[in-house]
Amino acid sequence: MTSTAPAEVTSTLEHRSKLGWAVQDALTVAQRNLVALFRVPTTLVFSTVQPVIFVLMFRYVFGGSITVPGFRYVDYLMAGIFVQTVTFGSINTGIGLAEDLSKGLIERFRSLAMARSAVLAGRTLADAVRNVIVIVLMVSVGFLVGFRVHTNVASFLGAVLLMVLFGFAMSWVMALIGLSTGNAEAAQAAAFPMMAVLVFASNAFVSTRRMPGPLRAYAEHQPVTAAVDGVRALLNGGPLAGKVLGSAAWSLAIVAVFAPLAVRRYRRAA
Amino acid sequence: MGDAAILVEDLGKTFGEIVALDGVDLAVPEGTVLGLLGPNGAGKTTAVRILTTILRPDRGRAAVLGHDVATDPDGVRNVIGLAGQFAAVDGNLTGRENLRLVGRLTHQRKAVVGPRADELLERFGLSDAADRTVRTYSGGMRRRLDLAAALVHKPPVLFLDEPTTGLDPRGRNDLWAVIGELVADGMTLLLTTQYLEEAERLADRIMVIDGGTVIAEGTAEELKHRLGNTIIEVRLADAGASQAARARLEAVGAAEVLDDGRTVALTVGDAGRAVLEVVRTLDSAGLTPEWLTVREPTLDDVFLQLTGHKAAPGAGEGEAPPTGRGRRGRRGAP
């Protein structure tokens, strides 16, 4: 109604569709996060320290006392370790967003005419890339302690895909938590118990069969168990379709629920 | 209000039981600078957050260059830049990377983003540090980069939320110089500050805000003239002498002993005649002052008079102008 922006403002603008910008903005933010990740690789290192300790502990300390019918324990274990790694790794998504929020970066991003989904999508995408790296490292560690893939390369890649997808889904849960808590320590404190209940009350390390009734019922019907089942089947062979579909369905359902919630939270974050 | 670049009507915002803004109206004509002056918690930042589409108002209307923040937030975002007190730049990226990031996220064409970043780094004296990660920057450098980031897409309207809070005097002066250049270039600017000197130096008009409402508005000169008077300060040897002097000087103007117990501040209408009377009165009473000054009221005086409490802590102590000797204890002038 009053004046328009000077000509130079509009002339330097690039034009794309709304969806096109949503994708481009997410990639721009993802790139920013990856640059930071490689420049400050400590988070990458710490993402692997804990799972390596778990590998050593379960392989050598507890492993001797655990038998799972139909599996060498190290092969059974590693599927659980991979899923555990991406699950706990998703806490980084929440921490990163909480830090962006507390440092005022989100405020700046929200004052720009960029896609409202981009900061979150960029963060979860970057964390998916980080997960690929961490998984490669953990597979190498697995090989060192005797883990072997009993299927083929395609199945192995499918297993990696399932892990990354599950990590991506959990990242959206953590995005919501990170934005809601607004500081890194609180995000971590809020997330850890939830992640622990998901990871330890599952079939990641031991079979659910000997768990007491109610616990077993929970353990057999929760997303980490589904993810581990899919990964384990792809790495060790046996009936596949149902387990892989179940795992993917859980992940997609989590994204479908938590991505809109997280974006809504982002729009209101202050 | 055809020329208002920033227009706000009856803006209200409440957080729980805290009323942050309670019916604020303001209009900033294009190419001018409005200083929003007030203490912590006055509602300044809330107003900026609403105008930059970060917060939604509970009531009222806010628009920038005709784009309403509620109905056309992207339209607002395209024409504004925001630099804040928290220096929102990414410490893990270099200065150059930060500016390019904002350039891409404001949807500038790739070809213009690089040169624009270089131009801003040069202009804000950051060329030498352009390829260092920002975590190695000083506070002043971060603020300059933050300001540069707000300008990447050449917005015609700029919001600065307490741009120099926490900076040392040198960093503050550097930033003032940079902001002064932007203003000279004709940018419309809304600036919030707790520093009276900052508002006086940068703003065309000043709006004093306290408790979510506007309590005064005008140019720095107009606000000072609200006191309408000249202030004469006389320092005496001790408290007894100052009380004696105050009692006698009441005949000349409204007199008050300041916090130091030794200085008498006198608010007078006709400065020349009053000085003569003060000197005569003191002489006849046998009181010899250590010194005597005549000065115009400062914004500190105005603020104190308007709000009944002091301006921001630290605003006049050490970092701000050398005009402030101990007059802060004086209560509302007549």
Side-chain angles (χ1 to χ4, degrees):
Chain A
M1 71 178 193
T2 55
S3 70
T4 50
E8 56 184 352
V9 172
T10 42
S11 71
T12 58
L13 276 181
E14 188 174 324
H15 293 283
R16 287 184 195 215
S17 69
K18 214 169 165 154
L19 182 66
W21 276 123
V23 172
Q24 179 58 50
D25 290 346
L27 292 175
T28 303
V29 174
Q31 188 190 5
R32 166 232 167 193
N33 291 332
L34 288 173
V35 167
L37 176 68
F38 290 113
R39 201 161 280 161
V40 191
T42 45
T43 51
L44 206 56
V45 172
F46 284 115
S47 301
T48 56
V49 168
Q50 192 204 32
V52 167
I53 289 171
F54 269 80
V55 169
L56 297 176
M57 204 161 65
F58 276 90
R59 172 76 177 89
Y60 297 109
V61 179
F62 306 134
S65 325
I66 305 175
T67 52
V68 185
F71 289 93
R72 288 165 66 225
Y73 183 64
V74 66
D75 293 335
Y76 185 89
L77 170 69
M78 287 313 295
I81 292 281
F82 297 143
V83 173
Q84 178 209 17
T85 305
V86 297
T87 305
F88 280 107
S90 70
I91 294 178
N92 287 305
T93 307
I95 292 174
L97 283 170
E99 277 176 357
D100 283 353
L101 190 60
S102 63
K103 287 181 180 160
L105 270 162
I106 298 231
E107 204 128 306
R108 153 146 291 145
F109 290 141
R110 289 181 63 213
S111 77
L112 305 180
M114 58 188 282
R116 301 293 98 179
S117 56
V119 170
L120 304 182
R123 174 67 68 173
T124 52
L125 276 177
D127 283 335
V129 174
R130 190 202 64 222
N131 268 340
V132 172
I133 299 164
V134 172
I135 288 166
V136 168
L137 288 171
M138 291 311 298
V139 169
S140 313
V141 170
F143 284 148
L144 288 177
V145 299
F147 159 72
R148 295 294 176 266
V149 177
H150 298 279
T151 51
N152 52 41
V153 174
S155 295
F156 171 73
L157 293 177
V160 172
L161 196 64
L162 274 192
M163 300 170 205
V164 174
L165 180 63
F166 187 67
F168 180 73
M170 295 308 290
S171 280
W172 281 103
V173 178
M174 281 309 306
L176 179 62
I177 293 176
L179 289 176
S180 304
T181 52
N183 82 70
E185 288 77 19
Q188 189 150 19
F192 187 82
M194 190 186 87
M195 297 299 172
V197 167
L198 278 173
V199 169
F200 297 118
S202 78
N203 66 350
F205 306 110
V206 293
S207 163
T208 53
R209 260 175 231 151
R210 289 198 198 155
M211 294 180 184
L215 179 61
R216 180 177 170 182
Y218 161 75
E220 287 181 350
H221 299 92
Q222 56 111 320
V224 167
T225 295
V228 173
D229 270 339
V231 169
R232 199 170 270 153
L234 283 166
L235 295 175
N236 291 287
L240 269 181
K243 289 176 176 171
V244 173
L245 283 178
S247 166
W250 262 112
S251 296
L252 295 176
I254 290 169
V255 175
V257 172
F258 283 89
L261 287 176
V263 172
R264 202 177 71 152
R265 192 79 190 80
Y266 172 83
R267 286 174 178 276
R268 288 164 192 200
Chain B
M1 273 309 170
D3 291 325
I6 305 172
L7 188 61
V8 166
E9 288 168 357
D10 190 34
L11 204 60
K13 181 75 188 175
T14 312
F15 299 103
E17 292 184 357
I18 298 160
V19 180
L21 287 178
D22 191 10
V24 168
D25 297 285
L26 63 84
V28 187
E30 269 184 65
T32 67
V33 182
L34 176 71
L36 218 49
L37 176 68
N40 268 328
K44 309 183 300 288
T45 298
T46 303
V48 169
R49 281 177 154 170
I50 289 171
L51 280 163
T52 54
T53 76
I54 289 167
L55 270 183
R56 286 176 196 200
D58 295 338
R59 72 164 203 265
R61 200 176 89 84
V64 181
L65 290 178
H67 303 278
D68 192 290
V69 294
T71 56
D72 183 16
D74 271 344
V76 175
R77 290 166 191 145
N78 277 326
V79 295
I80 62 162
L82 166 67
Q85 52 184 315
F86 300 112
V89 284
D90 189 335
N92 292 323
L93 301 184
T94 66
R96 194 189 306 279
E97 286 167 343
N98 265 291
L99 296 187
R100 288 186 172 179
L101 173 70
V102 174
R104 287 305 284 154
L105 292 176
T106 49
H107 301 170
Q108 305 295 298
R109 280 192 275 113
K110 239 179 192 155
V112 305
V113 167
R116 179 68 180 152
D118 295 344
E119 179 193 327
L120 286 165
L121 289 164
E122 174 77 39
R123 177 167 186 183
F124 289 168
L126 294 168
S127 292
D128 292 341
D131 295 311
R132 270 165 44 198
T133 55
V134 170
R135 60 173 73 253
T136 66
Y137 282 23
S138 70
M141 290 165 76
R142 284 178 77 106
R143 295 294 177 94
R144 293 207 300 278
L145 183 66
D146 185 50
L147 181 54
L151 299 172
V152 172
H153 55 304
K154 299 191 174 175
V157 178
L158 182 65
F159 293 88
L160 294 178
D161 188 19
E162 302 199 9
T164 64
T165 296
L167 283 187
D168 59 25
R170 196 186 146 191
R172 180 172 301 165
N173 272 313
D174 287 353
L175 207 59
W176 279 348
V178 168
I179 296 169
E181 281 178 34
L182 296 173
V183 172
D185 288 350
M187 180 164 256
T188 305
L189 174 61
L190 190 151
L191 164 94
T192 78
T193 183
Q194 301 184 35
Y195 302 119
L196 307 159
E197 186 196 8
E198 187 161 276
E200 188 168 9
R201 171 150 172 185
L202 295 173
D204 299 312
R205 292 183 70 75
I206 296 171
M207 198 170 253
V208 185
I209 183 169
D210 192 41
T213 56
V214 176
I215 54 173
E217 192 194 350
T219 64
E221 282 305 306
E222 286 167 1
L223 288 177
K224 285 183 198 169
H225 280 114
R226 286 215 158 190
L227 284 175
N229 293 306
T230 303
I231 294 165
I232 300 174
E233 287 178 348
V234 186
R235 176 133 113 211
L236 293 123
D238 53 48
S242 68
Q243 286 300 339
R246 189 194 62 77
R248 286 178 171 79
L249 290 173
E250 283 287 2
V252 183
E256 195 176 0
V257 178
L258 300 189
D259 277 356
D260 66 358
R262 297 167 57 197
T263 308
V264 180
L266 203 61
T267 308
V268 299
D270 184 346
R273 187 185 302 259
V275 168
L276 289 177
E277 281 181 41
V278 167
V279 171
R280 257 187 234 124
T281 307
L282 292 175
D283 190 33
S284 67
L287 294 163
T288 307
E290 290 185 2
W291 48 249
L292 181 152
T293 57
V294 181
R295 63 175 179 82
E296 292 300 303
T298 67
L299 280 174
D300 278 293
D301 299 310
V302 177
F303 198 87
L304 204 54
Q305 185 195 17
L306 290 170
T307 66
H309 54 81
K310 295 180 189 181
E317 286 142 29
E319 350 178 45
T323 49
R325 271 187 317 251
R327 96 192 87 86
R328 304 173 65 77
R330 201 159 56 84
R331 269 156 279 124

